[in-house]
Amino acid sequence: MTQPSLFIAHGSPTLAIEHNAYTGFLKELGQQIMSVPPRAALIFSAHWDSPVQYVSNDTLHETMHDYYGFPEEMYHIRYPVKGDPELSEWISSIFKSGNLPYQMSSGRGLDHGAWVVLRALFPSGGIPAVALSVDSKRSPAEQYAIGKMLTELRNRNVLIIGSGGLVHNLRLMENRDDPNPWATEFDDWIGEQLTSWNLRTLFDYEKKAPHVKEAVPSYATEHFAPLLYAMGASDNDRHASRLFQDYQYGSLSLNAWQFGS
């Protein structure tokens, strides 16, 4: 079975306790995926940003509560999902053959960028997970290339997920229901590059995308990076389709993209 790769926005950590159109969509998406269950989910999270390429190697992941100022129930949620050490070793062998320096990581647990998404898709925790770090300081082409190294895993029934956010500027969030035009214009521009698989222009998004300074501020590029890792993982099947699009707080985009048919 060949799995697609996905980019899934994780929004606010409170996604874990919300019931809205987006959480309903993620539940349905998870049910669709489980019609032919993947052997594991490999997830790149925006909240594991490091110049070192890390690969988790746990047999059981702890749940990190890496946020503050949220409702008390947020700190009592547990999502103790299994790891897949064999898959971690496959990944390490791929990185080794690709001359990508990496380190295995044990005991870190899953940050909320990882477990909130996985829990929304697979509430029972039945799909093992391997977490990978991102490096927001790498160029878009380098991020894409790392994802491309992992393409063969999709043919081994591994679901690859990038968890982040295309428009993610906490300083510009507003108490409004309708999205800010600048946010939708940025998302639409990115969508055009994805559906046409226009890598040349996409890799230069920091200069060419409209409203990029508002959408991807310099302090939050790690939320955009997972898109490129997930996209690269489907380089052999260059097909992109938007599965969902909505906004919270006027600009925080909740979007899901599937790469590969």
Side-chain angles (χ1 to χ4, degrees):
M1 174 65 182
T2 298
Q3 293 285 344
S5 58
L6 302 170
F7 173 78
I8 297 178
H10 60 249
S12 166
T14 54
L15 185 71
I17 58 174
E18 293 172 354
H19 299 281
N20 52 37
Y22 190 47
T23 60
F25 156 76
L26 291 175
K27 179 179 179 180
E28 291 182 4
L29 177 61
Q31 292 171 345
Q32 293 173 16
I33 293 170
M34 288 300 290
S35 63
V36 182
R39 68 156 287 163
L42 185 163
I43 186 162
F44 289 96
S45 170
H47 291 277
W48 196 1
D49 187 11
S50 171
V52 176
Q53 178 62 64
Y54 283 110
V55 181
S56 72
N57 193 31
D58 296 293
T59 56
L60 182 67
H61 296 287
E62 297 294 328
T63 305
M64 296 175 64
H65 301 99
D66 52 332
Y67 40 75
Y68 62 90
F70 288 93
E72 182 64 23
E73 63 181 300
M74 291 290 300
Y75 301 91
H76 298 285
I77 298 175
R78 297 291 183 273
Y79 186 67
V81 66
K82 292 181 180 180
D84 188 335
E86 183 181 17
L87 175 57
S88 298
E89 290 297 329
W90 285 351
I91 296 169
S92 70
S93 65
I94 290 171
F95 286 162
K96 187 177 296 183
S97 63
N99 296 315
L100 177 68
Y102 70 93
Q103 290 184 22
M104 305 296 274
S105 172
S106 298
R108 177 181 182 270
L110 294 180
D111 59 67
H112 77 269
W115 70 258
V116 167
V117 167
L118 292 173
R119 181 171 175 266
L121 293 172
F122 314 118
S124 67
I127 302 300
V130 173
L132 279 79
S133 63
V134 301
D135 183 357
S136 63
K137 299 298 190 294
R138 288 184 181 271
S139 70
E142 290 174 314
Q143 294 162 352
Y144 183 97
I146 292 173
K148 183 178 178 180
M149 291 182 187
L150 303 172
T151 299
E152 66 180 81
L153 294 179
R154 293 177 45 239
N155 297 327
R156 299 186 183 187
N157 200 26
V158 175
L159 177 68
I160 298 178
I161 302 172
S163 169
L166 299 189
V167 180
H168 193 91
N169 189 336
L170 304 185
R171 298 175 186 174
L172 294 183
M173 293 193 307
E174 302 176 60
N175 185 20
R176 57 186 288 177
D177 295 327
D178 60 314
N180 252 305
W182 64 262
T184 57
E185 288 175 24
F186 176 83
D187 268 334
D188 289 346
W189 186 91
I190 294 296
E192 291 173 5
Q193 314 319 312
L194 298 184
T195 53
S196 62
W197 215 272
N198 187 350
L199 297 181
R200 181 188 294 271
T201 301
L202 179 64
F203 290 168
D204 203 22
Y205 78 93
E206 291 179 298
K207 294 181 179 178
K208 295 183 177 179
H211 313 292
V212 67
K213 291 183 179 180
E214 292 84 6
V216 189
S218 59
Y219 64 85
T221 55
E222 74 281 357
H223 276 79
F224 190 87
L227 171 77
L228 296 160
Y229 287 90
M231 190 181 185
S234 284
D235 183 77
N236 65 332
D237 184 5
R238 295 186 169 192
H239 177 78
S241 56
R242 180 156 50 191
L243 305 179
F244 190 92
Q245 182 69 58
D246 201 356
Y247 296 85
Q248 291 180 316
Y249 311 109
S251 61
L252 186 65
S253 62
L254 301 176
N255 31 38
W257 283 85
Q258 177 174 312
F259 304 113
S261 51

